[in-house]
Amino acid sequence: MANKQVKNATIPLITIMAAALLLTKIPLLHTGFMPFAFNARLDLIMLVLLFILYKRP
C-alpha cells in the first residue's frame, strides 16, 4: 500500500523538478555547458532518482 502511495507521489515531483530545471537552469546554457552542468547537477540527480523510484516494482 505504501509503495503505491510513493509511486503516486513521484509523478507530481517529477513534473515540478522538470519545470524547475527548465525555468532556472536552461538559461544558463547561454554561458556554456560546464556552468550549466555544474549548477544543474543536483536537479538532474534528483530527476534520475525520482525516475528510479517510480520504476521500482
Side-chain angles (χ1 to χ4, degrees), residues 19-42:
L21 184 69
L22 288 173
L23 291 174
T24 61
K25 302 300 192 267
I26 295 297
L28 288 175
L29 278 173
H30 296 294
T31 62
F33 180 74
M34 289 306 288
F36 164 76
F38 182 76
N39 287 326
R41 68 185 186 271
L42 183 61

Side-chain angles (χ1 to χ4, degrees), residues 8-57:
N8 289 338
T10 58
I11 296 168
L13 286 174
I14 289 171
T15 307
I16 290 169
M17 287 305 299
L21 184 69
L22 288 173
L23 291 174
T24 61
K25 302 300 192 267
I26 295 297
L28 288 175
L29 278 173
H30 296 294
T31 62
F33 180 74
M34 289 306 288
F36 164 76
F38 182 76
N39 287 326
R41 68 185 186 271
L42 183 61
D43 295 337
L44 293 173
I45 294 296
M46 192 148 177
L47 268 175
V48 169
L49 291 175
L50 283 170
F51 277 122
I52 291 170
L53 191 61
Y54 181 73
K55 294 292 183 183
R56 195 176 82 183

